[in-house]
Coordinates of all heavy atoms in Angstrom, one line a residue:
I237 N 115.7 131.4 135.0 CA 115.4 131.7 136.4 C 116.3 130.8 137.3 O 116.9 131.3 138.3 CB 113.9 131.4 136.7 CG1 113.0 132.4 136.1 CG2 113.6 131.3 138.2 CD1 111.5 132.1 136.2
A238 N 116.4 129.5 136.9 CA 117.3 128.6 137.6 C 118.7 129.1 137.6 O 119.5 129.1 138.6 CB 117.2 127.2 137.0
G239 N 119.2 129.6 136.4 CA 120.5 130.1 136.2 C 120.8 131.3 137.1 O 121.9 131.4 137.8
A240 N 119.9 132.2 137.2 CA 120.0 133.4 138.0 C 120.1 133.0 139.5 O 120.9 133.6 140.3 CB 118.9 134.4 137.8
L241 N 119.2 132.1 139.9 CA 119.2 131.7 141.3 C 120.5 131.0 141.7 O 121.0 131.1 142.8 CB 118.0 130.7 141.6 CG 116.6 131.3 141.5 CD1 115.6 130.2 141.6 CD2 116.4 132.4 142.6
S242 N 121.0 130.2 140.7 CA 122.3 129.5 140.9 C 123.5 130.4 141.1 O 124.3 130.2 142.0 CB 122.6 128.5 139.7 OG 123.8 127.9 139.9
V243 N 123.5 131.5 140.3 CA 124.7 132.4 140.5 C 124.7 133.1 141.8 O 125.7 133.4 142.4 CB 124.7 133.4 139.3 CG1 123.7 134.6 139.5 CG2 126.1 133.9 139.0
F244 N 123.5 133.4 142.4 CA 123.4 134.0 143.7 C 123.7 133.0 144.8 O 124.2 133.3 145.9 CB 122.1 134.7 143.9 CG 121.9 135.9 143.1 CD1 120.8 136.0 142.1 CD2 122.7 137.0 143.2 CE1 120.7 137.1 141.4 CE2 122.5 138.2 142.5 CZ 121.5 138.2 141.6
N245 N 123.4 131.7 144.5 CA 123.7 130.7 145.5 C 125.2 130.5 145.6 O 125.8 130.4 146.8 CB 123.1 129.4 145.0 CG 123.3 128.2 146.0 OD1 123.3 128.5 147.3 ND2 123.5 127.0 145.6
H246 N 126.0 130.4 144.5 CA 127.4 130.2 144.5 C 128.2 131.5 144.5 O 129.4 131.4 144.6 CB 127.8 129.3 143.4 CG 127.2 127.9 143.5 ND1 127.6 126.9 144.3 CD2 126.1 127.4 142.8 CE1 126.9 125.8 144.2 NE2 125.9 126.1 143.3
R247 N 127.5 132.6 144.3 CA 128.2 133.9 144.2 C 129.3 134.0 143.1 O 130.3 134.7 143.3 CB 128.7 134.3 145.6 CG 127.7 134.4 146.7 CD 128.4 134.8 148.0 NE 127.4 135.1 149.0 CZ 126.8 134.2 149.8 NH1 127.1 132.9 149.7 NH2 126.0 134.6 150.8
F248 N 129.0 133.3 142.1 CA 130.1 133.1 141.1 C 129.4 132.7 139.7 O 128.5 131.8 139.7 CB 131.1 132.0 141.5 CG 132.2 131.7 140.6 CD1 133.3 132.6 140.5 CD2 132.1 130.6 139.7 CE1 134.3 132.3 139.6 CE2 133.1 130.3 138.9 CZ 134.2 131.2 138.8
A249 N 129.8 133.3 138.7 CA 129.4 133.0 137.3 C 130.5 132.5 136.5 O 131.6 133.0 136.6 CB 128.7 134.2 136.6
S250 N 130.3 131.4 135.7 CA 131.3 130.9 134.9 C 130.7 130.4 133.5 O 129.5 130.4 133.4 CB 132.1 129.7 135.6 OG 131.2 128.5 135.6
A251 N 131.6 130.0 132.6 CA 131.2 129.5 131.3 C 130.7 128.0 131.4 O 130.2 127.5 130.4 CB 132.3 129.7 130.3
E252 N 130.9 127.4 132.5 CA 130.6 125.9 132.6 C 129.1 125.6 132.2 O 128.9 124.6 131.4 CB 130.8 125.4 134.0 CG 130.6 123.9 134.1 CD 130.8 123.5 135.6 OE1 131.2 124.3 136.4 OE2 130.5 122.3 135.9
P253 N 128.1 126.3 132.6 CA 126.8 126.0 132.2 C 126.6 126.1 130.7 O 125.6 125.5 130.1 CB 125.9 127.0 132.9 CG 126.7 127.4 134.1 CD 128.1 127.4 133.6
L254 N 127.4 126.9 130.0 CA 127.3 127.0 128.5 C 128.0 125.9 127.8 O 127.8 125.8 126.5 CB 127.9 128.4 128.1 CG 127.2 129.6 128.6 CD1 128.1 130.9 128.4 CD2 125.8 129.8 128.0
A255 N 128.7 125.0 128.5 CA 129.3 123.9 127.8 C 128.3 122.9 127.4 O 127.2 122.7 128.0 CB 130.3 123.3 128.8
V256 N 128.6 122.2 126.3 CA 127.7 121.2 125.8 C 127.4 120.1 126.9 O 126.3 119.6 127.0 CB 128.3 120.5 124.5 CG1 127.4 119.3 124.1 CG2 128.3 121.6 123.4
A257 N 128.4 119.8 127.7 CA 128.2 118.7 128.7 C 127.1 119.0 129.7 O 126.4 118.2 130.1 CB 129.5 118.5 129.4
F258 N 127.0 120.3 130.0 CA 126.0 120.7 131.0 C 124.6 120.5 130.4 O 123.7 120.1 131.1 CB 126.2 122.2 131.4 CG 125.3 122.7 132.5 CD1 125.5 122.4 133.8 CD2 124.2 123.4 132.1 CE1 124.6 122.8 134.8 CE2 123.3 123.8 133.1 CZ 123.5 123.6 134.4
S259 N 124.5 120.9 129.2 CA 123.1 120.7 128.5 C 122.8 119.3 128.5 O 121.6 118.9 128.7 CB 123.2 121.3 127.1 OG 123.3 122.7 127.1
G260 N 123.8 118.4 128.2 CA 123.6 117.0 128.2 C 123.1 116.5 129.6 O 122.3 115.6 129.7
E261 N 123.7 117.0 130.6 CA 123.3 116.6 132.0 C 121.9 117.0 132.2 O 121.1 116.2 132.9 CB 124.2 117.3 133.0 CG 125.7 116.7 133.0 CD 126.6 117.5 133.8 OE1 126.1 118.5 134.5 OE2 127.8 117.3 133.8
L262 N 121.4 118.1 131.8 CA 120.0 118.5 132.0 C 119.1 117.6 131.3 O 118.1 117.1 131.8 CB 119.8 120.0 131.4 CG 120.4 121.1 132.2 CD1 120.1 122.5 131.6 CD2 119.9 121.1 133.7
V263 N 119.4 117.2 130.0 CA 118.6 116.3 129.3 C 118.6 114.9 130.0 O 117.5 114.3 130.2 CB 119.1 116.1 127.9 CG1 118.4 114.9 127.2 CG2 119.0 117.4 127.1
A264 N 119.7 114.5 130.5 CA 119.8 113.2 131.3 C 118.9 113.2 132.5 O 118.2 112.3 132.8 CB 121.3 112.9 131.6
M265 N 118.9 114.3 133.2 CA 118.1 114.5 134.4 C 116.6 114.3 134.1 O 115.8 113.6 134.8 CB 118.3 115.8 135.1 CG 119.7 115.9 135.8 SD 119.8 117.5 136.6 CE 121.4 118.1 136.0
V266 N 116.2 115.0 133.0 CA 114.8 114.9 132.6 C 114.4 113.5 132.2 O 113.4 113.0 132.6 CB 114.6 115.9 131.4 CG1 113.2 115.6 130.8 CG2 114.7 117.3 131.8
V267 N 115.3 112.8 131.5 CA 115.0 111.5 131.0 C 115.0 110.5 132.2 O 114.1 109.7 132.3 CB 116.0 111.0 129.9 CG1 115.8 109.5 129.6 CG2 115.8 111.9 128.7
I268 N 116.0 110.6 133.1 CA 116.0 109.7 134.2 C 114.9 109.9 135.2 O 114.3 108.9 135.7 CB 117.4 109.9 134.9 CG1 118.5 109.3 134.1 CG2 117.4 109.2 136.3 CD1 119.9 109.5 134.7
G269 N 114.4 111.1 135.3 CA 113.3 111.4 136.2 C 112.0 110.9 135.6 O 111.1 110.3 136.3
G270 N 111.8 111.2 134.3 CA 110.5 110.8 133.7 C 110.0 112.0 132.9 O 109.3 112.8 133.5
M271 N 110.2 112.0 131.6 CA 109.9 113.3 130.9 C 108.4 113.4 130.6 O 107.9 114.4 130.1 CB 110.7 113.4 129.6 CG 110.5 112.2 128.6 SD 111.6 112.4 127.2 CE 111.2 110.9 126.3
R272 N 107.6 112.3 130.7 CA 106.2 112.4 130.5 C 105.4 112.6 131.8 O 104.2 112.6 131.8 CB 105.7 111.1 129.8 CG 106.2 110.9 128.4 CD 105.6 112.0 127.5 NE 106.2 111.8 126.1 CZ 105.7 111.1 125.2 NH1 104.6 110.4 125.4 NH2 106.2 111.1 124.0
S273 N 106.2 112.9 132.9 CA 105.6 113.2 134.2 C 105.8 114.6 134.6 O 106.9 115.2 134.3 CB 106.1 112.2 135.2 OG 105.8 112.7 136.5
F274 N 104.9 115.3 135.2 CA 105.0 116.7 135.5 C 106.2 116.9 136.5 O 107.1 117.7 136.3 CB 103.7 117.2 136.1 CG 103.8 118.6 136.6 CD1 103.9 119.6 135.6 CD2 103.7 119.0 137.9 CE1 104.0 121.0 136.0 CE2 103.8 120.3 138.3 CZ 103.9 121.3 137.3
L275 N 106.3 116.1 137.6 CA 107.3 116.2 138.6 C 108.5 115.3 138.3 O 109.5 115.3 139.1 CB 106.7 116.0 140.0 CG 105.8 117.1 140.5 CD1 105.2 116.7 141.9 CD2 106.4 118.4 140.6
G276 N 108.4 114.4 137.3 CA 109.5 113.5 137.1 C 110.9 114.2 136.9 O 111.9 113.8 137.5
P277 N 111.0 115.3 136.1 CA 112.3 116.0 135.9 C 112.8 116.5 137.2 O 114.1 116.5 137.4 CB 111.9 117.1 134.9 CG 110.7 116.6 134.2 CD 109.9 115.8 135.2
A278 N 112.0 116.9 138.1 CA 112.5 117.4 139.4 C 113.1 116.2 140.2 O 114.1 116.4 140.9 CB 111.3 118.0 140.2
L279 N 112.4 115.1 140.1 CA 113.0 113.8 140.7 C 114.3 113.5 140.1 O 115.2 113.1 140.8 CB 112.0 112.7 140.6 CG 112.3 111.4 141.2 CD1 112.5 111.5 142.7 CD2 111.3 110.3 140.9
G280 N 114.4 113.7 138.8 CA 115.7 113.4 138.2 C 116.8 114.3 138.6 O 118.0 113.9 138.8
A281 N 116.5 115.6 138.9 CA 117.4 116.6 139.4 C 117.9 116.1 140.8 O 119.1 116.2 141.1 CB 116.8 118.0 139.5
L282 N 117.0 115.7 141.7 CA 117.4 115.2 143.0 C 118.3 114.0 142.9 O 119.4 114.0 143.6 CB 116.1 114.9 143.8 CG 116.4 114.2 145.1 CD1 117.1 115.1 146.1 CD2 115.0 113.8 145.8
F283 N 118.0 113.1 142.0 CA 118.8 111.9 141.8 C 120.2 112.3 141.4 O 121.2 111.8 141.8 CB 118.1 111.0 140.8 CG 118.9 109.7 140.6 CD1 118.7 108.6 141.4 CD2 119.8 109.6 139.5 CE1 119.4 107.5 141.1 CE2 120.5 108.5 139.2 CZ 120.3 107.4 140.1

Side-chain angles (χ1 to χ4, degrees):
I237 290 172
L241 293 174
S242 178
V243 82
F244 289 118
N245 184 36
H246 296 283
R247 298 179 171 86
F248 178 80
S250 74
E252 183 183 354
L254 295 169
V256 172
F258 183 82
S259 294
E261 289 170 7
L262 289 180
V263 173
M265 288 181 233
V266 170
V267 173
I268 287 176
M271 60 184 178
R272 294 294 175 90
S273 167
F274 179 67
L275 291 177
L279 182 61
L282 173 64
F283 180 85

